[in-house]
């Protein structure tokens, strides 16, 4: 019976050093291999050119590198790049490169499918098949960094966890991936350029605050009226707005970091005065900013983009309360590229 080999990137540097010592080699060999795995982004053991053939053969006999493969890449007329990412077990997730004049942003996935049941989201129609490993999340970012350099002649500047899946339902792996993305032994990116977007899991928002994370928090809210929120995001029946509010107040007390609310205005759902007043009130609980998201329908059902007039009423109401709000236009419409939580066709 063949034993399934472990992904070598699941090992810490210290565990790698110990592995080499236990196999009669020097501990520093672990440092060398660790650098190849993360900083130099080696896809295979054969890539490790300053490691002897014998050592590479030993690694090959004991481990695998479950590296992602960009299966198909689509470029939009507006410059957006969409990756269909094939994992080692042939499952597919998506990541997106979103360019502007001054920055390039990676939108990455954290799960295959999603644990939640938001009715407006295409990813929610896929059952959650598994969590992504830290290396698989890291690889998405590294691939988009390469694409940013290739197509835009500059390194990746920002990362948003708004792709497939709910990041806080894969908390340990997302945190490990961010640790490597921000480490000088990895991609060396600033945590202040990373935003983790959640649909609102109060217990995990508090845990992030307790863990003193340095990245930014975004919440896909979409309604501050309990019954509307429960209808469009049924899982929120277990996470009422009072609990979410308390967790966000806790987050701000601990981190002094503003919250970003991601909010889609839908026709006939949350484009009325009651919804606007409730959202403005909710925004006053903690310092925040608002992204009003342009929605791309996933079918001809109940979720349709509200009128520009309705969106402007939101902006005016928020401005009167000194809350900064921006309209985020959908990118890559011609290739159906959008971040998963804010749903698009797949």
């Amino acid at each position: 019976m063949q034993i399934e080999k472990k992904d070598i990137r699941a090992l810490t540097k210290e565990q790698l050093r110990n592995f080499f010592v236990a196999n009669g080699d020097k501990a520093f060999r672990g440092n060398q291999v660790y650098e190849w795995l993360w900083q130099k982004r080696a896809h295979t053991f054969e890539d490790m050119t300053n490691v002897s053939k014998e050592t590479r053969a030993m690694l090959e006999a004991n481990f695998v590198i479950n590296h992602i493969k960009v299966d198909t890449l689509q470029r939009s007329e507006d410059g957006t790049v969409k990756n269909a990412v094939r994992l080692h077990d042939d499952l597919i997730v998506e990541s997106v490169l979103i360019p502007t004049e001054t920055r390039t942003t990676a939108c990455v996935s954290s799960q295959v499918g999603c644990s939640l049941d938001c009715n407006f989201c295409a990813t929610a129609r896929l059952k959650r098949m598994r969590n992504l490993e830290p290396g698989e999340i890291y690889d998405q970012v590294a691939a988009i960094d390469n694409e940013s350099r290739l197509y835009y002649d500059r390194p990746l500047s920002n990362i948003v966890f708004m792709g497939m899946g709910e990041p806080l339902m894969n908390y340990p792996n997302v945190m490990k991936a961010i640790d490597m993305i921000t480490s000088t032994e990895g991609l060396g990116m600033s945590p202040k350029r990373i935003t983790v977007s959640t649909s609102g899991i109060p217990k995990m928002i508090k845990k992030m605050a307790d863990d003193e994370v340095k990245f930014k928090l975004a919440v896909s809210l979409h309604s501050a009226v309990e019954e509307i929120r429960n209808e469009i995001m049924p899982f929120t029946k277990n996470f009422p707005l009072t609990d979410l509010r308390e967790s966000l107040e806790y987050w701000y007390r601990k981190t002094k970091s503003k919250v970003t609310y991601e909010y889609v205005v839908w026709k006939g759902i949350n484009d009325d005065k009651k919804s606007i007043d409730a959202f403005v009130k909710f925004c006053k609980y903690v310092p925040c900013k608002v992204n009003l998201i342009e929605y791309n329908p996933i079918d001809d059902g109940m979720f349709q983009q509200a009128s520009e007039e309705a969106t402007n009423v939101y902006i005016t109401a928020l401005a009167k309360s000194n809350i900064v709000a921006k309209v985020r236009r959908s990118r890559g419409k011609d290739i159906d590229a959008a971040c998963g939580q804010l749903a698009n066709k797949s």
Side-chain angles (χ1 to χ4, degrees), residues 154-166:
R154 59 178 186 255
L156 181 67
S157 60
N158 296 78
I159 303 167
V160 293
F161 281 78
M162 294 184 190
M164 296 171 72
E166 165 54 62

Side-chain angles (χ1 to χ4, degrees), residues 180-228:
M180 285 312 305
I181 289 163
T182 55
S183 169
T184 53
E185 295 181 312
L187 297 177
M189 290 189 68
S190 167
K192 292 176 181 173
R193 293 184 172 274
I194 299 174
T195 299
V196 172
S197 178
T198 175
S199 294
I201 318 293
K203 179 175 75 172
M204 300 311 296
I205 290 170
K206 286 183 175 180
K207 176 160 177 56
M208 284 197 298
D210 288 337
D211 288 346
E212 300 180 346
V213 301
K214 302 301 182 192
F215 52 75
K216 296 175 182 175
L217 171 66
V219 177
S220 294
L221 189 61
H222 310 308
S223 182
V225 178
E226 197 81 75
E227 57 269 25
I228 296 175

Side-chain angles (χ1 to χ4, degrees), residues 116-125 222 228-235 237 266 269 295 298-299 301-303 341 343:
L116 306 182
D117 54 6
C118 303
N119 287 323
F120 55 85
C121 181
T123 304
R125 298 184 178 191
H222 310 308
I228 296 175
R229 183 168 175 256
N230 290 346
E231 186 168 344
I232 62 177
M233 304 160 76
F235 82 92
K237 290 170 187 168
W266 288 291
I269 294 176
Y295 183 68
I298 56 175
D299 54 31
M302 65 182 282
F303 294 98
Q341 285 190 342

Side-chain angles (χ1 to χ4, degrees), residues 140-304:
Q140 291 175 73
V141 176
I144 291 178
D145 180 48
N146 289 339
E147 291 164 4
S148 180
R149 292 169 192 270
L150 175 65
Y151 296 125
Y152 297 100
D153 200 27
R154 59 178 186 255
L156 181 67
S157 60
N158 296 78
I159 303 167
V160 293
F161 281 78
M162 294 184 190
M164 296 171 72
E166 165 54 62
L168 300 193
M169 293 293 201
N170 186 18
Y171 188 82
N173 289 354
V174 167
M175 294 303 114
K176 285 177 189 171
I178 290 175
D179 282 346
M180 285 312 305
I181 289 163
T182 55
S183 169
T184 53
E185 295 181 312
L187 297 177
M189 290 189 68
S190 167
K192 292 176 181 173
R193 293 184 172 274
I194 299 174
T195 299
V196 172
S197 178
T198 175
S199 294
I201 318 293
K203 179 175 75 172
M204 300 311 296
I205 290 170
K206 286 183 175 180
K207 176 160 177 56
M208 284 197 298
D210 288 337
D211 288 346
E212 300 180 346
V213 301
K214 302 301 182 192
F215 52 75
K216 296 175 182 175
L217 171 66
V219 177
S220 294
L221 189 61
H222 310 308
S223 182
V225 178
E226 197 81 75
E227 57 269 25
I228 296 175
R229 183 168 175 256
N230 290 346
E231 186 168 344
I232 62 177
M233 304 160 76
F235 82 92
T236 62
K237 290 170 187 168
N238 298 316
F239 305 109
L241 285 165
T242 49
D243 290 1
L244 179 60
R245 170 189 172 178
E246 185 199 352
S247 72
L248 294 172
E249 289 171 337
Y250 185 84
W251 162 270
Y252 187 75
R253 278 199 309 275
K254 296 276 283 192
T255 67
K256 295 295 181 281
S257 176
K258 279 186 180 182
V259 176
T260 298
Y261 293 116
E262 310 282 353
Y263 197 97
V264 180
V265 187
W266 288 291
K267 183 178 179 180
I269 294 176
N270 59 354
D271 57 351
D272 59 317
K273 187 176 188 302
K274 180 183 176 182
S275 291
I276 294 168
D277 291 346
F279 183 49
V280 171
K281 182 181 178 183
F282 197 88
C283 286
K284 291 178 180 176
Y285 295 139
V286 296
C288 68
K289 61 180 182 176
V290 174
N291 287 334
L292 294 170
I293 310 291
E294 183 183 16
Y295 183 68
N296 286 326
I298 56 175
D299 54 31
D300 296 323
M302 65 182 282
F303 294 98
Q304 300 297 322

Side-chain angles (χ1 to χ4, degrees), residues 90-104:
D90 279 341
L91 295 172
I92 301 283
V93 294
E94 292 179 357
S95 62
V96 183
L97 166 60
I98 307 162
T100 67
E101 287 183 10
T102 56
R103 62 173 66 178
T104 48

